[in-house]
Amino acid sequence: MKPRILTGDTPTGRLHLGHWVGSLENRVRLQEQYDCFFLLANMHAFTTRADKPADIRQDTLEIVKDWLAAGIDPDRSTITLQTEVPAIAELTWFFAMLLPFNKVMRNPTLKTEIETKGLGDTYSFGFPMYAVGQCADILAFRPELVPVGEDQEAHIEMCRDVALKFNQLYCGVGNRVPPEEHQTAGGAFPIPKALIGRIGRLPGIDGKQKMSKSLGNAIMLSDPPKDVQKKINKITTGRQSPTEPGDTSNILFTFVRAFIRDGARVAELERRYAAGDNIGDGHVKQEVAEAINTLLAPMQERRAKLDGPAGDDVVIDLIRRGTRRANTIAEETLSMAKQAMQLDFGPRTLG
Ligand code: TRP
């Protein structure tokens, strides 16, 4: 049996390069060695957009299309939908009891989101609850690894806390047992690890905040080559001329290192830029845009085949198939958790 991976995306629209370098690239790469579960976190979308069910539905389908375009192989990996895995909702309740309220509210990822999305103090009760739900998303599948971008680290840390606490409280695992030995010591849950991407946090083309569709600073995986070049051209470095020694820690070079995959070429560009060796920003931008377009071309080719309602049907079918498999595992987890909590009155019968 292969070790498992669980990760997911909240359907907020199409995916961008930040998703790719933060997590998607790792998912595609690890499909061979791991039994992968990719979760569509549509419930989480409702925590801030409860008034937009049609948008959330469409965004959910779009994300699957982006996943498939990026190289997720539905014959090897399992694609599943949060709202059709009831064990996740049930585990969320149990886990909510293991986390101090104020600790959830201090979660830095939630705090940042409240700021950047301008949620003020009117966000729903469900909004901070999603962080607890994310622990359940993960632990329902008892994975070893969770590939995510850097911004998700606080959530994975909370998930680890919950798993440790559960195992100690209900499975008799001692306080001094190291995380990696929890399961052999009788714990119901593994203590999963975050796997942060090559570039944990890709800035947007504004060079200020992280890349995000809602901030208007993103290059989407579906952007045509001309748009990619236009967007890259918008990056500002403040450098005046090709002979001015440049700072290779600037945002343009973050993109160089993220997307030009020939290490020798990157080193050469860095050397010449730093020395002001007659190399202009315009030239560097052109090479970056070319590298990005080379990465995106095969994705866009695959995606074109999934456009429109016929593609929707293919996707819905994959979700159904994946969700059956996901529920087998999640129900097994739930029943283990209930046993441990002395809630062993099942199996339940409905109807
Ligand atoms: N909160 C994650 C994001 O915004 C998406 C997500 C939901 C997730 N459930 C998850 C990621 C479980 C990893 C594991 O990107």
Side-chain angles (χ1 to χ4, degrees):
M1 257 206 357
K2 292 183 195 174
R4 286 189 203 127
I5 273 181
L6 176 291
T7 188
D9 289 311
T10 307
T12 53
R14 293 187 170 194
L15 298 177
H16 54 63
L17 288 177
H19 292 111
W20 172 256
V21 293
S23 161
L24 202 46
E25 181 184 42
N26 271 335
R27 304 180 198 178
V28 170
R29 183 170 59 86
L30 295 170
Q31 288 181 103
E32 200 64 64
Q33 295 133 269
Y34 287 83
D35 189 9
C36 293
F37 291 81
F38 301 124
L39 181 75
L40 296 155
N42 60 338
M43 186 80 95
H44 292 190
F46 277 89
T47 68
T48 55
R49 296 194 294 155
D51 55 337
K52 299 266 176 354
D55 290 1
I56 294 172
R57 184 178 200 279
Q58 198 51 44
D59 288 347
T60 302
L61 302 178
E62 294 299 334
I63 286 213
V64 180
K65 292 181 187 184
D66 275 345
W67 284 353
L68 299 173
I72 299 294
D73 173 0
D75 290 328
R76 278 187 297 179
S77 300
T78 303
I79 292 172
T80 186
L81 185 68
Q82 201 174 41
T83 49
E84 291 306 319
V85 183
I88 291 175
E90 294 180 59
L91 289 169
T92 300
W93 257 105
F94 295 147
F95 295 161
M97 265 74 83
L98 303 182
L99 284 162
F101 178 78
N102 288 315
K103 188 167 178 174
V104 177
M105 299 313 289
R106 277 195 301 266
N107 178 305
T109 301
L110 290 183
K111 282 195 163 174
T112 310
E113 260 179 291
I114 290 167
E115 265 169 49
T116 57
K117 293 184 181 162
L119 302 180
D121 58 2
T122 59
Y123 51 80
S124 66
F125 194 95
F127 173 72
M129 189 70 174
Y130 100 68
V132 184
Q134 186 157 336
C135 301
D137 293 341
I138 298 169
L139 294 175
F141 297 91
R142 286 168 282 140
E144 189 170 285
L145 271 190
V146 188
V148 281
E150 213 169 76
D151 63 309
Q152 296 294 305
E153 250 180 322
H155 290 335
I156 311 306
E157 204 45 49
M158 222 166 78
C159 169
R160 289 168 59 86
D161 283 350
V162 164
L164 289 165
K165 188 88 183 281
F166 189 101
N167 291 344
Q168 287 162 355
L169 211 52
Y170 301 124
C171 310
V173 177
N175 286 340
R176 280 198 292 271
V177 174
E180 55 287 358
E181 286 167 28
H182 259 235
Q183 268 183 311
T184 43
F189 295 106
I191 316 300
K193 286 202 185 83
L195 176 71
I196 307 295
R198 194 159 54 78
I199 311 283
R201 179 186 177 279
L202 186 71
I205 52 171
D206 59 357
K208 293 186 197 110
Q209 278 166 302
K210 79 161 185 167
M211 188 173 280
S212 148
K213 186 177 162 244
S214 57
L215 296 172
N217 64 7
I219 296 176
M220 312 307 293
L221 299 184
S222 52
D223 278 347
K226 260 207 241 132
D227 292 11
V228 171
Q229 183 71 64
K230 259 195 238 154
K231 287 182 178 180
I232 290 293
N233 288 348
K234 283 194 192 149
I235 292 176
T236 54
T237 66
R239 186 164 172 260
Q240 304 296 340
S241 88
T243 51
E244 178 185 322
D247 175 4
T248 56
S249 70
N250 68 17
I251 182 217
L252 180 57
F253 269 81
T254 304
F255 276 77
V256 166
R257 285 182 292 270
F259 298 106
I260 297 180
R261 299 318 304 274
D262 173 355
R265 183 63 191 151
V266 172
E268 166 81 359
L269 287 172
E270 283 176 331
R271 188 188 59 71
R272 288 187 54 195
Y273 196 83
D277 181 12
N278 199 25
I279 182 154
D281 279 26
H283 175 83
V284 178
K285 287 177 183 177
Q286 196 185 330
E287 280 197 40
V288 171
E290 268 167 29
I292 293 173
N293 287 329
T294 305
L295 167 72
L296 299 185
M299 296 188 196
Q300 295 178 359
E301 209 171 294
R302 281 192 289 265
R303 202 179 199 293
K305 298 192 186 110
L306 293 163
D307 274 339
D312 288 1
D313 290 344
V314 171
V315 164
I316 291 167
D317 198 56
L318 287 177
I319 292 174
R320 291 210 176 117
R321 189 148 57 90
T323 299
R324 267 197 294 277
R325 171 143 200 270
N327 270 322
T328 309
I329 291 166
E331 284 296 312
E332 192 180 274
T333 306
L334 180 64
S335 118
M336 283 168 64
K338 283 181 162 179
Q339 286 281 343
M341 295 174 77
Q342 304 186 34
L343 297 168
D344 48 340
F345 301 102
R348 61 183 153 195
T349 42
L350 299 173

